[in-house]
Amino acid sequence: MLRTDGIHHVTSISGGAQRNVDFYVGTLGLRLVKRTVNFDDPGTWHLYYGDRTGSPGTLITFFPWEGAHAGVSGAGEVAATAYSAPAARVMEWAESQGLESQLQERFGQQVLAFRDTDGSWLELVGSALEGTPDSESPGVTGFHGVTLSVRDPGATARLLTDVFGFETVGETDGRVRFGVQGEAPGRVVDLVEPESATPARLGSGSVHHVAFRARDDDHQQEFREALLSRGFNVTPVQDRQYFRSIYFREPGGVLFEIATDPPGMLIDETVESLGSELRLPPWYESARGRIAEALTPIATPNATPVG
Ligand code: ZN
């Protein structure tokens, strides 16, 4: 049976690049694992944050657009991106950061919801894991899952179960939870119905797409065929340097990607040097000088984990 190993990455739009780095590295404690450019618009950054080695299931990436208008939430979008973090650390951390947050209980777990500096909803889902006591970060260990806000959850649900191998694992307060091979971190998708039927409008603070994992090119091809046979309009495979990707819009309007685990973030940098300098795919190397000059310089806060 066709089955994904869960979420590969989430890609969002932000305003200024430095503010984005300050939040995801300085506040959330992730590592900047790749500084590259938007392959479709090489005059702008594409920044990747993740765990120490940039593993699939920990990667959140951003297209920072200085002066981008704010996104408007609505139907057909990723409404929240959730991370797993040690429950014992989460509240203390939020207080120390002065974050305006809401604590909820969901499926028996503590969920702390807050917005990033561009208004994107993030959640920390408390796990039983122990935190590092001397760390100033919440000890994020990777994704917990995503919440999709879709008008016809039935159609999205069928796609998740029939093509991606998810199963329904719970339902509470208008939220249906799907998990693949259990509900381990990074393998959870929640569906909720939007408050209004108005489609979400993309802008800073919006999630652009969510990517699911394919083990390799053959696995990705199987997904592609399964989608085509169900009438989905899937793109051809695109080389994203760190993975290969196909894209399609799910029935609720959210842009889905299927990304291969290989070759991964270590294809052009060592673990120690990940994210330390501008990396370009071979087809842009000849224009490196011009590209580098057009990019707004960014600096990582001192909190950057070292080697
Ligand atoms: Zn992507």
Side-chain angles (χ1 to χ4, degrees), residues 9 11 209 211 243 247 257:
H9 66 267
T11 293
H209 62 265
F243 37 84
Y247 304 85
E257 173 181 346

Side-chain angles (χ1 to χ4, degrees), residues 151-176:
R151 256 196 295 177
D152 176 11
T156 302
R158 278 192 297 282
L159 170 70
L160 290 174
T161 55
D162 298 358
V163 176
F164 288 93
F166 281 85
E167 290 170 359
T168 313
V169 292
E171 187 164 0
T172 180
D173 302 327
R175 173 180 295 266
V176 186

Side-chain angles (χ1 to χ4, degrees), residues 1 13 17 23 44 117 122 144 158 162-163 195 201 208 227 233 253 265 287 300:
M1 186 194 160
I13 298 169
F23 184 84
T44 60
T117 36
L122 298 175
H144 177 266
R158 278 192 297 282
D162 298 358
V163 176
E195 282 164 26
R201 235 181 30 235
H208 188 266
L227 289 164
N233 190 9
M265 295 296 121
T300 46

Side-chain angles (χ1 to χ4, degrees), residues 8-11 46 48 61 63 208-211 240 243 245 247 257 259:
H8 185 285
H9 66 267
V10 170
T11 293
H46 190 186
Y48 290 60
T61 93
F63 296 125
H208 188 266
H209 62 265
V210 55
R240 296 311 190 189
F243 37 84
S245 301
Y247 304 85
E257 173 181 346

Side-chain angles (χ1 to χ4, degrees), residues 288-302:
R288 173 176 280 271
R290 201 152 37 87
I291 288 174
E293 205 165 300
L295 295 166
T296 325
I298 51 170
T300 46
N302 295 331

